[in-house]
């Protein structure tokens, strides 16, 4: 399952905690780790800031086409409204949406993310699996729902 | 499991009912759109395996939420992966469904454990207007039934979910449904009563129940003949008992010719017959027990007198006293009947007469009252105590009674002053002196009796006792007939 997350900073903290645990445990023994770390999936509703195209000289991001820079929705995060995040994107996914005229800066997106833990000592990679462009009605209903008591319960179920 | 009870198993306060009763659950019968999260479904599928194994002896494969049996369920989720697979001669698509919820009690590392696996025929997807190559990433409404053995969903229908708003509505409905399903299902007494009193044979509903062993349903849940007959027999016993009670309660049933009714009636009459005898004996205070001759006369009279004499006599005495109390000299029949005192005397006499009646011929109480009143008045008239003005009118003359009573008072007063022990009253003398040609000896006796009673009550320290001797020529009245008064005085006075 994927977890529904509202705050990008919260998302980063979750991944950082997991990464440190795995890194410290196996780094402390001095042994070469030879395990596959579990992947994580998340679902976020964010605002599109911009696209950055990747430089081809970095080895660990070989195969990714670009990065999508996203930001928290102000209506959901009064303290972390300016929190941003960079999400890697494959060329296939970019090609599928590049001609969509609605895909402009400032658009609110429903993004599904996969977090991959790479080789030893490498930082985790956030990849966009899929995303959808949300309408104004969708955004309004979503904000109302997550603020209601029923929405809080659902978020607890999703992140339990 | 009790094969004849409606409960397959009870766990604390929660009852797991037999599959025959599942149709009474609104979530099972399809009247409710059962919405569910992927996480809850995966948890309930694992729990339901244990329920079907322990409580239903593996004869059943059914999804349970607590004790609610669930058939078709409804989810919304995103397809995050799929694979094609041939099973037999049919090609199936297995896709993973994600709705952002998970089975929190389970931690797994493989994709199959975290997402819901859904099984659907490839041909069905095409018939629902979906494109196979574009399934990944779609958010869909998924309808189907749970397969416990494979822990996956058998898809029956798919349709697109077009907006996040639609998905949010699903979340809201499902949150509320979670609370409803957490309340255990309990059947109402009406349903249970209606079910076990049905006469028609029960037929198994194999189309609705996924039964592992079909033979079990046909054998185990059929009501045996002996049990049904036994119930009918008990009802017959209760009905007969009720009839017996009715017969005991209603002894006056005219159609019933049993001896108990006649016996009761006889006892009733007999008990009433004893009453006036006792009353008659108790009213003997006017007789001096020392006089054996007088006592013999009394015994002779009691042998001939009717049983009803004491009550009629007392009623007549009461009526005389009422008439003496009236200030008027005459009164009409209807006015006399309306007097409250007269009514009470007449009613008490009528009650006595009512009980005297035979069970066969019964007169109404009103007619008995009129009859009693007429009888009392006629007795006074025949004794000459009250007179009729004329034959046609219904007005009574009270002067004979009043004059005679006044005369009696004077005579008794003189006798007491002179301390006479006896006094004689002659019929001819009274008739001439008071100008009462129709007065009779019986009338004179009655008036003197009442006067003596009153005098004794007024002067108990003077008059101790009294009695009246009738003329030895019993029954024959002539000019020389009369009565003899005997007075006994208190010792202090004499």
């Amino acid at each position: 399952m994927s977890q529904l997350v509202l705050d990008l900073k919260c998302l980063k903290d979750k991944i950082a905690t997991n990464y440190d645990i795995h890194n410290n445990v196996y780094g402390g023994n001095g042994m070469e780790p030879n395990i596959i770390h579990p992947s994580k999936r998340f679902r976020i509703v964010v605002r599109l800031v911009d696209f950055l195209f990747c430089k081809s000289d970095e080895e660990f991001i070989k195969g990714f086409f670009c990065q999508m820079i996203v930001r928290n929705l102000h209506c959901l995060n009064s303290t972390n409204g300016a929190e941003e995040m960079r999400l890697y994107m494959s060329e296939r996914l970019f090609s599928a949406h590049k001609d969509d005229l609605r895909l402009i800066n400032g658009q609110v997106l429903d993004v599904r993310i996969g977090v991959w833990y790479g080789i030893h000592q490498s930082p985790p990679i956030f990849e966009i699996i899929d995303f959808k462009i949300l309408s104004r009605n969708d955004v309004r209903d979503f904000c109302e729902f997550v603020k209601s008591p029923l929405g809080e319960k659902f978020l607890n179920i999703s992140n339990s | 499991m009790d094969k004849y009870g409606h409960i397959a198993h009870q766990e604390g306060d929660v009852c797991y009912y037999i599959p025959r009763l599942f149709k009474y659950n609104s979530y099972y019968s399809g009247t409710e759109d059962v919405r569910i999260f992927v996480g809850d479904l995966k948890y309930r599928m694992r729990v339901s395996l244990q329920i079907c194994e322990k409580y239903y002896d593996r004869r059943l494969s059914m999804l349970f939420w607590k004790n609610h049996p669930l058939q078709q369920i409804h989810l919304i989720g995103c397809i995050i992966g799929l694979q094609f697979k041939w099973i037999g001669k049919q090609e199936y698509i297995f896709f993973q469904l994600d709705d952002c919820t998970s089975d929190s009690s389970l931690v797994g590392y493989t994709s199959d454990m975290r997402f819901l696996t859904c099984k659907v025929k490839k041909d069905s997807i095409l018939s629902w207007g979906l494109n196979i190559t574009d399934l990944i990433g779609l958010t869909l409404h998924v309808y189907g039934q749970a397969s416990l053995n494979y822990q996956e969903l058998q898809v029956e229908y798919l349709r697109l979910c077009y907006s996040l708003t639609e998905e949010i509505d699903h979340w809201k409905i499902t949150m509320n449904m979670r609370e409803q399903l957490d309340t255990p299902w309990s059947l109402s007494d009406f349903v249970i009563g209606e079910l076990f009193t049905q006469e028609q044979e029960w037929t198994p509903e194999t189309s609705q129940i996924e039964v592992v062993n079909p033979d079990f349903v046909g054998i185990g849940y059929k009501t045996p003949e002996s049990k049904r007959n036994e119930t009918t027999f008990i009802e017959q016993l209760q009905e007969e008992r009720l009839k017996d009670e009715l017969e005991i309660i209603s002894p006056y049933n005219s159609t019933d010719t049993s001896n108990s009714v006649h016996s009761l009636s006889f006892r009733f009459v007999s008990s009433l017959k004893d009453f006036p005898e006792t009353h008659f004996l108790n009213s003997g205070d006017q007789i001096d027990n020392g006089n054996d001759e007088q006592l013999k006369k009394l015994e002779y009279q009691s042998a001939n007198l009717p049983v009803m004499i004491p009550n009629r006599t007392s009623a007549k005495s009461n009526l005389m006293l009422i008439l003496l109390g009236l200030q008027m000299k005459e009164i009409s029949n209807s006015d006399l009947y309306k007097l409250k005192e007269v009514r009470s005397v007449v009613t008490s006499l009528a009650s006595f007469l009512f009980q005297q009646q035979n069970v066969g011929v019964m007169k109404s109480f009103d007619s008995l009252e009129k009859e009693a009143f007429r009888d009392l008045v006629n007795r006074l008239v025949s004794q000459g105590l009250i007179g009729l003005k004329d034959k046609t009118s219904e007005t009574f003359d009270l002067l004979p009674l009043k004059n005679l009573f006044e005369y009696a008072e004077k005579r008794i007063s003189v006798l007491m002053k002179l301390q006479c022990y006896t006094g004689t009253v002659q019929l001819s003398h009274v008739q001439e002196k008071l100008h009462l040609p129709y007065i009779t000896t019986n009338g004179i006796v009655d008036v003197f009796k009442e006067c003596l009673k009153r005098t004794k009550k007024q002067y108990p320290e003077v008059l101790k006792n009294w009695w009246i001797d009738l003329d030895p020529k019993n029954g024959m009245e002539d000019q020389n007939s009369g009565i003899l008064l005997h007075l006994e005085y208190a010792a202090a006075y004499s």
Side-chain angles (χ1 to χ4, degrees):
Chain A
M1 67 92 184
S2 59
Q3 301 176 47
L4 182 63
V5 177
L6 303 183
D7 189 356
L8 293 178
K9 187 167 194 317
C10 179
L11 173 57
K12 293 179 181 179
D13 292 342
K14 281 192 181 184
I15 301 303
T17 303
N18 287 335
Y19 178 74
D20 288 344
I21 290 175
H22 290 287
N23 201 35
N24 291 338
V25 166
Y26 298 103
N29 292 339
M31 297 173 59
E32 186 71 19
N34 189 20
I35 62 171
I36 301 174
H37 297 273
S39 64
K40 292 285 184 181
R41 290 175 182 253
F42 297 92
R43 182 178 182 182
I44 57 178
V45 176
V46 290
R47 189 181 301 275
L48 173 61
V49 175
D50 205 352
F51 287 97
L52 293 180
F53 294 96
C54 304
K55 305 171 184 177
S56 58
D57 58 343
E58 301 192 44
E59 180 67 21
F60 73 96
I61 59 171
K62 183 179 181 180
F64 288 119
F65 181 73
C66 64
Q67 284 180 323
M68 177 192 287
I69 304 177
V70 295
R71 183 193 296 161
N72 274 339
L73 295 181
H74 286 275
C75 60
L76 296 180
N77 296 277
S78 57
T79 57
N80 300 321
E83 188 72 28
E84 291 188 353
M85 199 171 187
R86 299 187 176 195
L87 311 170
Y88 285 96
M89 198 168 177
S90 66
E91 183 175 4
R92 179 193 62 80
L93 186 60
F94 182 83
S95 301
H97 290 272
K98 65 181 173 62
D99 295 331
D100 195 337
L101 298 182
R102 298 175 299 164
L103 194 62
I104 58 176
N105 294 353
Q107 184 64 268
V108 179
L109 307 176
D110 177 6
V111 184
R112 293 179 185 265
I113 297 173
V115 181
W116 323 112
Y117 298 94
I119 59 178
H120 182 51
Q121 299 296 337
S122 298
I125 294 173
F126 295 84
E127 180 189 2
I128 298 176
I129 299 175
D130 192 14
F131 68 92
K132 293 171 183 172
I133 300 172
L134 296 179
S135 67
R136 190 173 305 179
N137 284 339
D138 288 339
V139 175
R140 183 193 63 219
D141 290 341
F142 181 77
C143 293
E144 287 179 356
F145 174 72
V146 295
K147 289 178 178 176
S148 66
L150 214 59
E152 292 181 16
K153 285 185 182 179
F154 179 76
L155 288 172
N156 289 332
I157 294 173
S158 180
N159 290 275
S160 62
Chain B
M1 179 165 60
D2 184 7
K3 294 187 176 181
Y4 304 125
H6 62 288
I7 297 176
H9 180 83
Q10 186 157 359
E11 194 78 11
D13 294 334
V14 181
C15 300
Y16 290 87
Y17 296 106
I18 57 176
R20 175 183 181 183
L21 299 173
F22 285 173
K23 61 184 178 183
Y24 295 104
N25 183 288
S26 55
Y27 304 110
Y28 177 90
S29 58
T31 55
E32 290 272 353
D33 179 20
V34 183
R35 307 241 188 170
I36 197 169
F37 287 135
V38 165
D40 293 331
L41 175 58
K42 292 181 73 65
Y43 171 73
R44 295 295 168 182
M45 283 199 290
R46 291 195 296 105
V47 172
S48 297
L49 264 181
Q50 301 171 19
I51 291 176
C52 296
E53 177 177 340
K54 296 178 180 177
Y55 305 161
Y56 292 93
D57 295 331
R58 294 196 188 88
R59 297 185 173 91
L60 186 66
S61 180
M62 176 69 58
L63 176 69
F64 284 97
W65 186 306
K66 293 210 168 175
N67 68 339
H68 295 280
L70 306 176
Q71 291 202 93
Q72 191 187 72
I73 52 181
H74 178 188
L75 308 96
I76 289 184
C78 178
I79 297 182
I80 63 161
L82 63 81
Q83 73 184 83
F84 295 85
K85 186 174 182 181
W86 282 92
I87 301 179
K89 299 183 178 180
Q90 179 72 50
E91 187 176 16
Y92 288 86
I93 295 178
F94 291 82
F95 62 84
Q96 310 298 319
L97 197 71
D98 172 29
D99 70 347
C100 303
T101 65
S102 70
D103 184 1
S104 57
S105 65
L106 189 67
V107 177
Y109 294 93
T110 62
S111 176
D112 289 347
M113 300 305 293
R114 289 183 293 171
F115 304 102
L116 177 68
T117 302
C118 302
K119 175 184 178 183
V120 64
K121 295 178 181 179
K122 180 181 176 183
D123 299 340
S124 301
I125 291 187
L126 296 173
S127 66
W128 295 326
L130 300 176
N131 193 344
I132 295 176
T133 56
D134 291 337
L135 281 179
I136 295 180
L138 286 180
T139 302
L140 300 171
H141 290 265
V142 182
Y143 300 83
Q145 294 194 29
S147 172
L148 299 186
N149 291 332
Y150 298 100
Q151 296 286 290
E152 64 189 24
L153 186 74
Q154 307 283 336
V155 176
E156 296 171 347
Y157 183 63
L158 292 173
R159 64 183 175 94
L160 280 174
C161 174
Y162 291 96
S163 65
L164 182 61
T165 299
E166 193 175 345
E167 198 171 353
I168 291 171
D169 290 339
H170 172 80
W171 293 344
K172 292 178 180 175
I173 296 172
T174 310
M175 293 291 295
N176 291 321
M177 181 136 292
R178 280 174 114 240
E179 294 185 356
Q180 297 176 37
L181 288 170
D182 271 344
T183 304
W185 167 42
S186 64
L187 279 171
S188 62
D189 294 336
F190 172 77
V191 173
I192 297 173
E194 180 186 86
L195 179 68
F196 287 101
T197 53
Q198 288 175 1
E199 293 292 338
Q200 62 186 4
E201 283 289 339
W202 176 78
T203 55
E205 303 167 358
T206 53
S207 60
Q208 297 184 26
I209 301 172
E210 188 179 348
V211 180
V212 178
N213 184 4
D215 296 333
F216 175 78
V217 176
I219 298 172
Y221 292 103
K222 184 176 181 180
T223 304
E225 292 286 341
S226 60
K227 191 170 181 62
R228 187 162 62 251
N229 293 338
E230 186 178 354
T231 304
T232 307
F233 181 64
I234 291 174
E235 290 176 354
Q236 288 177 356
L237 283 179
Q238 291 181 345
E239 189 177 5
E240 289 177 4
R241 184 180 301 172
L242 185 62
K243 287 179 178 177
D244 290 342
E245 290 178 357
L246 289 176
E247 289 176 1
I248 292 167
I249 289 169
S250 59
Y252 294 104
N253 189 0
S254 60
T255 59
D256 195 344
T257 57
S258 64
N259 293 331
S260 62
V261 173
H262 295 297
S263 173
L264 180 63
S265 176
F266 174 76
R267 190 179 330 113
F268 183 82
V269 173
S270 177
S271 63
L272 288 176
K273 191 170 184 179
D274 293 334
F275 174 71
E277 292 287 347
T278 305
H279 181 77
F280 184 80
L281 292 176
N282 288 339
S283 65
D285 58 344
Q286 66 187 8
I287 301 164
D288 185 8
N289 293 329
N291 193 335
D292 293 338
E293 183 178 0
Q294 184 64 27
L295 189 61
K296 290 180 180 178
K297 287 186 177 181
L298 180 62
E299 290 176 356
Y300 177 77
Q301 288 180 350
S302 65
N304 291 334
L305 291 177
V307 174
M308 294 172 286
I309 278 293
N311 279 271
R312 289 183 184 275
T313 304
S314 62
K316 191 175 66 175
S317 299
N318 290 330
L319 184 56
M320 286 170 57
L321 294 176
I322 294 169
L323 294 175
L324 285 169
L326 298 178
Q327 299 298 324
M328 59 198 70
K329 294 182 179 180
E330 61 186 24
I331 189 171
S332 66
N333 189 26
S334 57
D335 289 345
L336 183 61
Y337 192 69
K338 292 174 185 175
L339 289 178
K340 184 167 61 178
E341 296 86 354
V342 175
R343 287 290 303 180
S344 65
V345 170
V346 170
T347 301
S348 62
L349 180 58
S351 299
F352 173 74
L353 295 174
F354 186 84
Q355 292 169 342
Q356 285 270 287
Q357 290 187 107
N358 292 327
V359 179
V361 285
M362 298 279 290
K363 294 182 181 178
S364 67
F365 191 73
D366 287 342
S367 62
L368 284 178
E369 281 189 318
K370 294 185 174 65
E371 183 176 320
F373 174 73
R374 186 166 55 254
D375 183 70
L376 290 176
V377 170
N378 287 341
R379 284 171 179 265
L380 293 179
V381 170
S382 64
Q383 289 178 337
L385 295 178
I386 59 178
L388 292 173
K389 283 292 186 180
D390 51 65
K391 297 300 179 182
T392 58
S393 74
E394 291 281 333
T395 306
F396 301 116
D397 185 9
L398 305 180
L399 281 179
L401 177 62
K402 290 176 180 291
N403 290 341
L404 181 55
F405 194 84
E406 183 180 354
Y407 173 78
E409 279 185 325
K410 289 180 179 177
R411 289 294 308 274
I412 292 171
S413 176
V414 170
L415 289 175
M416 288 171 59
K417 288 178 180 177
L418 296 178
Q419 298 195 25
C420 298
Y421 290 98
T422 60
T424 302
V425 181
Q426 280 192 341
L427 177 61
S428 59
H429 179 71
V430 170
Q431 287 176 345
E432 291 174 2
K433 184 176 177 60
L434 300 180
H435 306 292
L436 300 174
Y438 307 108
I439 202 70
T440 62
T441 305
N442 286 336
I444 295 172
V445 169
D446 286 341
V447 171
F448 269 86
K449 279 166 55 181
E450 297 299 328
C451 192
L452 283 168
K453 288 180 186 177
R454 183 179 293 190
T455 305
K456 181 184 174 184
K457 193 175 299 182
Q458 281 180 333
Y459 307 104
E461 71 282 0
V462 178
L463 186 61
K464 181 180 178 182
N465 209 345
W466 61 267
W467 72 91
I468 298 176
D469 260 337
L470 298 180
D471 194 82
K473 304 175 184 178
N474 187 22
M476 299 180 61
E477 293 186 357
D478 54 22
Q479 293 300 317
N480 295 324
S481 66
I483 62 176
L484 183 62
L485 306 178
H486 294 265
L487 304 181
E488 181 179 346
Y489 298 99
Y493 184 78
S494 62

